[in-house]
Amino acid sequence: MQSKRLEERANTWSPGFWAAFGGCGAVLVLGVPILNLLVPPNSAAAIPDYLVPLLGKYVCYALLALSLDLIWGYAGILSLGHGAFFALGGYCMGMYLMRQIGARGVYGNPLLPDFMVFLDWKELPWFWWGFDHFAWAAAMIVLVPGLLALVFGWLAFRSRVTGVYLSIITQAMTYALMLAFFRNDMGFGGNNGMTDYKDILGWDVHQPSTRLGLYLASVAALGLGYLVCRFITSSKLGRVLLALRDAESRVRFLGYSVTHAKLLVFTVSAVLAGIAGALYVPQVGIINPSEFSPGNSIEIAIWVSVGGRGTLSGAIVGAVLVNLAKTWLTGVAAETWLFVLGGLFVLTTLVFPHGIIGLFRQARSARPRRAAPVAAAEEQA
Amino acid sequence: MNTPRLPAEPLLYLNGVTVSFDGFRALNSLSLIVEEGELRTIIGPNGAGKTTMMDVVTGKTRPDAGEVFFRRGTDLSRLDESEIANLGIGRKFQRPTVFENLTVFENLELSLADNRAIWRTLFARLTPYRRDRIGSVLARIGLSEQGGTPAGSLSHGQKQWLEIGMLLIHDRTLLLLDEPVAGMTDRETEETAELILDLAKDRTIVVVEHDMAFVRSLGAKVTVLHEGAVLAEGSLDHVQNDPRVIEVYLGR
C-alpha cells in the first residue's frame, strides 16, 4: 500500500525475478553449447567454433558495461577510464598465460617470456613472481584493479572531485597507464603486449572445448556480477547512492560519508571490470596497451547509455547490441563505424535518454497495467 | 555591549569566529551562545552572515579564526559535515533540498536515526518498528498520502515539510532551520510555526528568518546579526526598540 517502489523493492528477490534470471541464464549456459556441439554444423542454427570466443568477448564486455553502470547510472560517477581496470585485469591474466608457455616459447627459455629474452633480460622481474600459479594470478586480478581504484578513488572523492573533472582525471589515468605500458622497460611486453598463449589451467586455449569453457566462465561471472550489482542497488546503500547522485552535499548533512559510499562502489566496480578483462584475454588471445586507450573507455560509456543507464539489464543489452553492430559494420563498411558510434551517442542523449530499456518501459507503461511478476521484477533492475 | 548571562549548559558556543571570502568578512569575530533546550531566532539584513554562521556550525565552511564548540569540548571546526551531522546537528536549507528521485518514504528512510557507516547500509533492513516510525512522521508532517510519490513531484510547501520531517525523524539535539517558511502561504507559515513550537519542546532549535510575523509568532529570544557580528540580543520587542537595530535593519 505504501508505494509502488516498495512493492518493487520486495520484488527484488522474488520468485518472478529468479525465474527471469534463471531463464536468461539457461539460454546462455545451455543454448550456446547445444547449438555448438549437438546441432549439425551445416544447420543454419549451429554456432560454429570460431563464434564461441566472439560470444565470450561480448559477455566480457557486458560485465564491463555493468561495472560502469553501477557507478555512473546509480552514483553519478562517470568514469571515462574504466578500460584501465579492464586492461589491468587482462594483464594479470596475460602474465599467468605467459608463464604457462614455459620452454615452448620461440627462444625456449623455461623462465623468461620471449619478449624478455629479446630484450636480453637475465632474470624475471620481481612483479612477475608468483604468476606461474593460477591462484596468485586470480588474487592479483582482483587486487590490482581494486587497489588502484581504492587509492585513486580515495584521493579523488576525498578532495570532492566530481562531475566532468572526475571524468577528465580518469581519462588522464588510463592515458598515463597506456603510455607506461607502451614502454618496453616496464616489463609487460611494450607495444606488442603479450600473446601466443598455449594453455590455461592445463587446457589448450586453442581447443574448442576450452573456449566453450571460457565462454561459460564468462557467463557465470556476468551472472554473479549482475547479482552483486542488484544486491547493492536494491539495498539502502543503493538509495544513498541515488540520493548523492542528485544532491551530494545534502547526503553529507544527513550524516552519510559520501567519500566512503563512492569509494565502495568504485572499488567493487573496478574489480568487476578487472574480472571481465581477465576473462577477455584468453578468449581474444592477446593483451596490449591499446586496451588502455581513452577511446576504449569512452566506448563503454556509449554502450551503457545506449542500453539505458541506471538499469542493470540495460548495460548488458547495450554492450551486446553495440558490439554486434560493431562486428557486423566493421566487416561491411569499417570506415563508417566511428560515425555510427558517435551518432548513437548523440541520438541516445537527445532522443531517448533512458536508452533501449527506457523505451521498453515507456511502451509498457503506455499499455494498461497487467499483473506480470516477471516484468515487475525486471523493473527494479 | 550585550553580554549573554553565563548559561548552565551551553549547547553551542561560538567565540570570535571570523570567515572571509576574497577579503569580504562574512563573519567578523562573531560570538554566540545557544543554551540547551532553547529556541532562538536569528534575524539580520542580507549579507549579515546568517547563512555563513550555519555553514560554519555544520562544517560546510571552515572558520579562519575563532572557536566553535558543541556541548563541552567538541570542536566543530575540526570535523566534516557527516561527522557533525552524526553528533546530532541537523540542518534545513534555505532552498528545500529533498532527494527528488526517491520517494517521500525513502527520503525519510535515509534520514532515520541509524548507523550511518556505509558498509552497514549495504545490509540494513527496514524493521517494522522503523516502518512505523516513518509512518508516524509522515502523519505528523501531513504527507501520509504521498509516501509513495517521488519527492520531486511535491509542491514547494510540501517539500519544506518533508525536509522538516527528515530532521524530525532523526532525533537531533540541535536543529538549524534556514528560512523555513520562505515561499510558503500564510496558512502553511502558521502551521510551520506550530510545528516548530511543538518540536522545540524537546530539542534545541535555531531559526534564521526574514518574516517578522513568523518570528513574532515563535516568541523566542532574538539575535540580530549585522556585518558578521551580533548587533543586539533579547526579546523581539527589545531588539525592535534598539536604535542601532532600527538604523541598520528595521528602519530601512
Side-chain angles (χ1 to χ4, degrees):
Chain A
M1 146 263 173
Q2 202 46 273
S3 74
K4 189 162 154 266
R5 193 77 148 263
L6 281 179
E7 282 166 37
E8 282 171 8
R9 207 192 291 169
N11 276 333
T12 305
W13 306 111
S14 68
F17 159 70
W18 285 114
F21 181 80
C24 293
V27 169
L28 292 174
V29 170
L30 299 175
V32 172
I34 289 172
L35 293 178
N36 176 234
L37 300 174
L38 301 180
V39 174
N42 49 7
S43 150
I47 296 180
D49 286 344
Y50 74 88
L51 271 186
V52 173
L54 188 67
L55 292 175
K57 192 173 94 168
Y58 293 160
V59 174
C60 293
Y61 284 155
L63 180 57
L64 177 58
L66 196 63
S67 77
L68 182 68
D69 193 26
L70 177 66
I71 54 169
W72 184 31
Y74 291 86
I77 306 166
L78 175 54
S79 163
L80 289 180
H82 238 50
F85 302 118
F86 180 80
L88 286 172
Y91 265 97
C92 290
M93 179 60 100
M95 288 162 82
Y96 164 75
L97 295 170
M98 289 307 274
R99 294 296 309 272
Q100 294 306 298
I101 298 173
R104 288 171 291 174
V106 176
Y107 297 107
N109 188 311
L111 189 63
L112 300 185
D114 280 347
F115 71 86
M116 290 187 194
V117 182
F118 184 76
L119 291 174
D120 204 21
W121 289 13
K122 299 294 175 223
E123 297 171 47
L124 199 65
W126 61 269
F127 46 84
W128 276 76
W129 296 347
F131 273 96
D132 47 334
H133 299 291
F134 184 77
W136 175 262
M140 288 301 125
I141 285 163
V142 170
L143 285 178
V144 172
L147 281 177
L148 175 66
L150 200 65
V151 172
F152 183 89
W154 188 72
L155 292 171
F157 300 141
R158 189 192 54 141
S159 317
R160 300 188 183 174
V161 178
T162 55
V164 65
Y165 301 100
L166 187 98
S167 304
I168 290 169
I169 61 167
T170 52
Q171 280 259 287
M173 174 192 76
T174 196
Y175 191 64
L177 282 168
M178 179 179 76
L179 295 182
F181 275 74
F182 262 127
R183 292 158 49 92
N184 277 328
D185 48 6
M186 273 284 282
F188 297 105
N191 61 349
N192 296 317
M194 306 175 200
T195 187
D196 290 334
Y197 308 133
K198 303 282 188 244
D199 44 37
I200 178 168
L201 289 166
W203 287 298
D204 183 350
V205 288
H206 304 291
Q207 281 298 316
S209 59
T210 311
R211 298 189 149 181
L212 198 56
L214 284 166
Y215 162 80
L216 291 175
S218 309
V219 172
L222 177 63
L224 283 175
Y226 180 84
L227 292 179
V228 166
C229 292
R230 192 178 173 89
F231 175 74
I232 291 175
T233 55
S234 64
S235 72
K236 190 174 172 186
L237 175 62
R239 262 108 57 208
V240 172
L241 294 177
L242 281 182
L244 74 84
R245 186 187 72 184
D246 298 334
E248 185 173 317
S249 68
R250 187 73 179 82
V251 176
R252 279 200 192 94
F253 286 113
L254 273 187
Y256 295 99
S257 167
V258 168
T259 307
H260 291 176
K262 286 184 170 179
L263 204 51
L264 184 87
V265 284
F266 192 64
T267 306
V268 169
S269 167
V271 169
L272 291 177
I275 293 171
L279 287 161
Y280 168 86
V281 166
Q283 299 187 78
V284 298
I286 186 167
I287 176 79
N288 64 35
S290 68
E291 292 295 339
F292 285 107
S293 80
N296 277 18
S297 293
I298 293 172
E299 215 171 292
I300 309 166
I302 298 178
W303 306 339
V304 174
S305 68
V306 167
R309 124 173 142 96
T311 62
L312 296 176
S313 47
I316 297 172
V317 168
V320 172
L321 288 185
V322 174
N323 280 294
L324 271 175
K326 183 180 184 176
T327 305
W328 172 72
L329 202 64
T330 46
V332 182
E335 62 285 352
T336 59
W337 169 245
L338 281 180
F339 294 100
V340 170
L341 190 67
L344 268 179
F345 193 47
V346 173
L347 200 69
T348 44
T349 314
L350 295 179
V351 184
F352 49 111
H354 300 291
I356 294 169
I357 296 292
L359 286 180
F360 267 108
R361 289 188 183 168
Q362 235 173 10
R364 202 173 51 200
S365 59
R367 277 184 287 149
R369 278 175 63 95
R370 280 176 301 132
V374 176
E378 252 302 291
E379 191 104 330
Q380 182 70 46
Chain B
M1 264 306 274
N2 198 335
T3 345
R5 71 189 164 81
L6 259 187
E9 188 67 52
L11 186 70
L12 186 63
Y13 174 88
L14 278 74
N15 185 24
V17 174
T18 299
V19 173
S20 310
F21 298 116
D22 298 327
F24 168 71
R25 289 204 161 188
L27 292 182
N28 190 1
S29 193
L30 172 70
S31 298
L32 183 74
I33 291 175
V34 178
E35 289 172 41
E36 179 107 53
E38 201 186 336
L39 173 60
R40 175 76 64 94
T41 41
I42 294 182
I43 62 173
N46 282 329
K50 306 181 298 278
T51 301
T52 310
M53 187 273 298
M54 290 209 169
D55 287 346
V56 167
V57 173
T58 53
K60 194 178 175 196
T61 302
R62 297 241 180 264
D64 299 326
E67 312 174 281
V68 188
F69 280 101
F70 181 64
R71 288 246 157 78
R72 284 189 187 283
T74 309
D75 187 352
L76 296 182
S77 63
R78 291 176 183 280
L79 303 176
D80 73 14
E81 293 100 318
S82 60
E83 289 166 330
I84 291 173
N86 285 321
L87 288 174
I89 299 179
R91 176 177 190 181
K92 200 204 82 66
F93 290 83
Q94 212 162 331
R95 239 189 41 193
T97 41
V98 294
F99 303 120
E100 311 235 322
N101 281 308
L102 297 180
T103 65
V104 171
F105 186 93
E106 287 169 331
N107 268 274
L108 291 174
E109 185 198 356
L110 288 192
S111 318
L112 272 170
D114 205 345
N115 193 311
R116 294 291 206 258
I118 289 300
W119 65 274
R120 288 280 192 99
T121 62
L122 202 47
F123 303 100
R125 293 191 66 87
L126 197 59
T127 59
Y129 168 77
R130 292 192 184 131
R131 195 176 285 262
D132 290 349
R133 178 116 178 77
I134 294 171
S136 71
V137 169
L138 280 174
R140 194 159 178 193
I141 57 175
L143 293 177
S144 292
E145 297 297 308
Q146 283 82 10
T149 33
S153 55
L154 294 181
S155 75
H156 178 79
Q158 285 173 324
K159 283 182 189 168
Q160 299 269 29
W161 283 67
L162 172 57
E163 210 178 347
I164 292 174
M166 288 164 75
L167 292 175
L168 185 59
I169 200 163
H170 187 297
D171 291 308
R172 308 276 193 179
T173 325
L174 172 63
L175 293 188
L176 303 172
L177 307 179
D178 201 348
E179 304 198 15
V181 297
M184 279 193 180
T185 63
D186 289 349
R187 170 110 189 85
E188 285 170 333
T189 302
E190 273 170 43
E191 286 175 351
T192 307
E194 279 168 31
L195 179 62
I196 290 175
L197 287 171
D198 191 25
L199 297 180
K201 285 175 192 158
D202 45 14
R203 73 207 78 204
T204 311
I205 301 182
V206 175
V207 183
V208 162
E209 193 46 70
H210 272 304
D211 185 330
M212 277 304 161
F214 176 68
V215 171
R216 183 166 294 282
S217 67
L218 291 180
K221 183 172 169 183
V222 176
T223 297
V224 184
L225 292 191
H226 177 54
E227 292 176 349
V230 174
L231 184 69
E233 208 162 62
S235 70
L236 184 60
D237 288 327
H238 171 81
V239 299
Q240 277 185 324
N241 291 324
D242 189 314
R244 288 168 307 170
V245 175
I246 294 170
E247 192 194 329
V248 305
Y249 185 48
L250 302 163
R252 279 181 195 175

